[in-house]
Amino acid sequence: MNALILRRKLFDAVMIALSLGATVFTLFWLAWILWTTVTQGASALKLSIFTQMTPPPGTDGGLLNAFFGSFMMVLLGVVIATPIGVLAAIYLAEYKRGTRIAGVIGFVNDILLSAPSIVIGLFIYELLVLPFGHFSGFAGGFALAMIMLPIVVRSSAVALELVPPETREAALALGLPRWKVTLSVIARAARPGIITGLLLGVARISGETAPLLFTALNNQYWNANLAAPMANIPVVIFQYAMSPYDNWHALAWAGAFIVMLFVLTLGILTRVVFRQGGRS
Amino acid sequence: MTASLSSSEAQQARASESADRGFRWLTAGMGFAVLIILGATGASMLWGGRLAFKTFGLHFIVSADWDAVNHQFGALIPIYGTLVTAAISLIIGVPASFGIAFTLTETAPRWLRQPLSVAVELLASIPSIIYGMWGLFVFAPFMAADVEPWLNDHLANAPILGTLFTGPSIGIGMLTAGIILGIMIIPFISSVMWTVFNAVPPQLKESAIALGATRSEVMLKVTLPYTRNAVVGAIFLGLGRALGETMAVTFVLGNAHEFAKSLLMPGNSIAAVIANEFTEADSPIYTSSLIALGFLLFVVTFIVLAIARLFLYRLGRIEGARA
């Protein structure tokens, strides 16, 4: 009897210790990756990164054109994905809640949510690069929109479903048409949740590399024309990190550092917005 | 006067009705766009890969050739590398995720749980290209200098595992890629696990505790059986991520097209081949073979993720029925 208790207690202690070990193990990797990026990135950070173009090998330069390209394509992605995503979420949450078709669309959306981003890149290549014969910022922006769309749909649908039915009934009882109720009452009540989804989406697509490799490609020069290949931070990081040149490595680290800072800041912002949404 | 008023009212009602119908159709169109995107993604890759499928047929999947000069392409090596790295990632990611979920739901002090879960979720928000860079510049050299020589010394003569851990200590290879994937999938698996562990009705746990069960016994005999479906779903979710992850493994796999029994040897994965070679492909059959690889990846991840969602939805429905 005593031996049994001892064995069970021992097993319990071992399992608790191993689990604690797993947690520490995971945090250790997080700290290591953050530490590397911060130290390498901070030491490579210079003012010229924000004022000069991506350099040819061996010379000094910056990432200005890549920042601009990334900004344009992320903006394009947001502009495309937001209306489609919110309207699709309204269809799921307002018109078809609990039906089979909403179940199927939600299911497919959840699959798209974790679908490999390189596959999206290939899809957009077939759709927008091959027919036109050249890589373009448009294709890059569309690819990012494809990545962002399921995030917007999911979080908007959840936010819309949380709006209390009384709100909807009260607005309808005033004689307002359904579309007006949906857009100016329900969507407004769900706004914090929808914005959270948008921020999450932006955070996700600003670091995405794989879907841009063969849609936007890259561009060594300043380019504001979305119809031409466009420089962007993730692909520049990829190419520079894979190169044998030290100054390119430094630029890649600086880019990685800024992207990570941006993504983590957005993450914190999301939490703040989300908390406010929960309180109101 | 009354007649004209009522007719204008009727007109208004009709206008608002058609606006309503228009809005409804608009949202429906956007809703179905989600379905169309998935269908079109699969169809476009099947179309783009048709040349490869037609030329090589089923041989494409079982052939290990990858010869751009002679236009011979087979998917076996990338498929093998994808499966091996995903398997390594699960071996690391699943126990670690379970440990985190156990710690967060049962043993960690309450004030520490929120910050801990946020920290683990940070891992998910780090862009994969940063994992890749860190892997190439920091982790691979560490593996080459410290881990792999040790594996060579201590495990090379082990009966079955020996061949897996024999090889040059170059740091770049399937083991390194698999470990990085394992770290990357931890937040996805563990967040689902601790969510469902927390959702277990306290009465169930309390009755087990009242019978004298230890915390691990509560976890293994009450919580885990109760949440089994969701846990399986979470693991498949992590598997789906690991199979399709591109940038993190592209940096550290080595882009080798030779078959290697050792995990220390460079390898390849479907996503990495596409990322490395797509813009360099110089013949239609080369491009088509890469897109065909993309199609295979799409089909496999679709199946894995669908299984994951089915397991997770079953849980959702049970919870919904109880609520």
Side-chain angles (χ1 to χ4, degrees), chain B residues 195-237:
Chain B
T195 308
V196 295
F197 288 175
N198 270 325
V200 173
Q203 300 92 311
L204 288 181
K205 288 193 199 172
E206 282 159 11
S207 32
I209 293 167
L211 290 173
T214 61
R215 277 181 287 190
S216 348
E217 284 164 352
V218 172
M219 171 54 69
L220 293 176
K221 290 174 181 163
V222 178
T223 307
L224 207 52
Y226 188 80
T227 56
R228 196 178 41 216
N229 278 336
V231 169
V232 174
I235 293 170
F236 272 91
L237 207 58

Side-chain angles (χ1 to χ4, degrees), chain A:
Chain A
M1 185 67 196
N2 241 342
L4 179 66
I5 291 176
L6 200 67
R7 210 174 59 216
R8 285 175 53 209
K9 286 217 162 130
L10 196 68
F11 178 80
D12 191 44
V14 167
M15 190 161 138
I16 288 173
L18 282 179
S19 297
L20 194 65
T23 311
V24 173
F25 168 83
T26 305
L27 295 176
F28 161 74
W29 298 109
L30 176 71
W32 195 1
I33 294 168
L34 290 180
W35 173 251
T36 305
T37 314
V38 169
T39 50
Q40 297 276 3
S43 69
L45 222 48
K46 282 178 298 194
L47 190 67
S48 60
I49 283 171
F50 303 100
T51 58
Q52 292 179 17
M53 306 298 150
T54 46
T59 59
D60 227 15
L63 297 166
L64 179 63
N65 50 338
F67 280 122
F68 177 75
S70 272
F71 172 76
M72 290 300 284
M73 283 186 276
V74 169
L75 190 68
L76 185 62
V78 173
V79 167
I80 297 168
T82 305
I84 300 179
V86 172
L87 287 172
I90 287 175
Y91 183 66
L92 296 183
E94 285 298 309
Y95 288 110
K96 293 284 171 187
R97 190 185 299 188
T99 62
R100 182 173 291 257
I101 185 67
V104 170
I105 294 176
F107 182 77
V108 165
N109 187 68
D110 282 351
I111 287 176
L112 285 176
L113 204 57
S114 21
S117 53
I118 191 142
V119 162
I120 304 290
L122 284 177
F123 169 50
I124 299 295
Y125 172 84
E126 290 279 308
L127 195 71
L128 291 174
V129 175
L130 212 50
F132 296 98
H134 59 87
F135 300 98
S136 69
F138 275 122
F142 265 89
L144 294 183
M146 293 294 114
I147 308 280
M148 183 170 169
L149 179 66
I151 303 172
V152 178
V153 173
R154 173 52 58 214
S155 51
S156 304
V158 168
L160 289 167
E161 278 171 12
L162 285 176
V163 176
E166 293 81 11
T167 313
R168 189 172 299 109
E169 284 157 14
L172 283 170
L174 291 175
L176 289 174
R178 186 81 189 261
W179 65 271
K180 209 165 201 174
V181 172
T182 307
L183 283 184
S184 40
V185 179
I186 298 171
R188 181 165 298 187
R191 199 161 55 181
I194 294 173
I195 292 175
T196 303
L198 294 182
L199 292 177
L200 282 176
V202 171
R204 169 84 195 274
I205 61 176
S206 21
E208 275 291 349
T209 316
L212 295 177
L213 284 174
F214 19 86
T215 52
L217 199 66
N218 198 354
N219 194 332
Q220 205 189 318
Y221 307 102
W222 174 265
N223 168 36
N225 178 9
L226 278 169
M230 246 183 165
N232 57 86
I233 290 291
V235 174
V236 168
I237 293 176
F238 178 52
Q239 291 184 348
Y240 281 18
M242 290 293 232
S243 78
Y245 312 110
D246 280 340
N247 66 321
W248 275 16
H249 290 172
L251 277 175
W253 279 118
F257 174 63
I258 292 166
V259 168
M260 201 177 73
L261 207 62
F262 179 70
V263 168
L264 296 186
T265 311
L266 267 185
I268 294 165
L269 208 64
T270 311
R271 276 176 197 283
V272 173
V273 172
F274 189 70
R275 282 232 187 95
Q276 275 173 355
R279 230 181 277 145
S280 66

Side-chain angles (χ1 to χ4, degrees), chain B residues 53-169:
Chain B
F53 286 127
K54 224 183 283 169
T55 312
F56 305 119
L58 270 182
H59 194 64
F60 183 67
I61 298 173
V62 294
S63 159
D65 292 336
W66 194 267
D67 187 345
V69 180
N70 296 314
H71 302 311
Q72 288 302 312
F73 297 100
L76 190 63
I77 301 291
I79 290 175
Y80 172 74
T82 306
L83 295 179
V84 169
T85 49
I88 298 172
S89 77
L90 287 184
I91 291 172
I92 294 166
V94 172
S97 303
F98 178 73
I100 292 168
F102 179 61
T103 305
L104 279 175
T105 45
E106 301 292 339
T107 65
R110 282 198 184 275
W111 57 270
L112 202 60
R113 292 182 186 181
Q114 176 73 8
L116 270 181
S117 70
V118 171
V120 173
E121 274 171 359
L122 272 188
L123 274 177
S125 59
I126 296 175
S128 62
I129 185 135
I130 292 180
Y131 280 95
M133 266 189 95
W134 169 81
L136 178 67
F137 289 116
V138 180
F139 188 57
F142 167 75
M143 289 289 286
D146 298 317
V147 179
E148 291 179 358
W150 186 90
L151 289 174
N152 263 324
D153 290 347
H154 293 84
L155 286 177
N157 295 323
I160 300 162
L161 294 173
T163 45
L164 293 180
F165 296 109
T166 312
S169 302

